[in-house]
Amino acid sequence: TVDLVESGGGSVQAGGSLRLSCVASGDRYTVFNMGWFRQVRGKEREGVASINNAGGTMLSDSIQGRFTISQDHAKTTVYLQMDSLKPEDSAMYYCAFAPGRPLGANFLQPRWYSYWGQGTQVTVSL
């Protein structure tokens, strides 16, 4: 089991920045992916960014050039630096963990992840 705890959400004006953190604890894996997803009530969960144990990243087209995903040296904490925030970025943001790396997996799709955090709310106002 992997436990995930997100933090860093809040309210910010358009154009502002927030930095989300996700701390993973529990079972350790050599090969893994960690991702950030967001969801607005009534809509499907959307993949935002992912990073693997080797530091390889994937970013959604909707946040390219504005958001950056990174991890700490110990690879137990993943960050999502969000700049130039827009009102449409408002959502509940979730951290997720995927053990291993199945061939053909798209780690911006939620179905590849086994563990999820409780989420942190991000609200961007005009």
Side-chain angles (χ1 to χ4, degrees), residues 33-38 44-50 58-60 96-98 103-116:
N33 268 76
M34 291 186 72
W36 285 100
F37 292 79
R38 64 187 182 186
E44 291 187 357
R45 193 164 291 190
E46 173 193 7
V48 175
S50 74
M58 294 178 66
L59 297 173
S60 166
F97 186 96
L103 288 175
N106 179 343
F107 287 103
L108 291 182
Q109 295 176 345
R111 69 187 185 98
W112 295 103
Y113 291 83
S114 302
Y115 303 101
W116 293 85

Side-chain angles (χ1 to χ4, degrees), residues 73-95:
H73 183 71
K75 300 178 183 179
T76 58
T77 303
V78 171
Y79 305 98
L80 186 68
Q81 177 67 41
M82 305 187 296
D83 299 317
S84 303
L85 282 162
K86 304 176 181 179
E88 51 264 43
D89 294 319
S90 297
M92 184 70 80
Y93 281 71
Y94 297 92
C95 177

Side-chain angles (χ1 to χ4, degrees), residues 28-33 52-54 97-102 107:
R28 299 297 301 269
Y29 292 86
T30 303
V31 179
F32 63 85
N33 268 76
N52 63 36
N53 54 282
F97 186 96
R101 192 171 304 126
F107 287 103

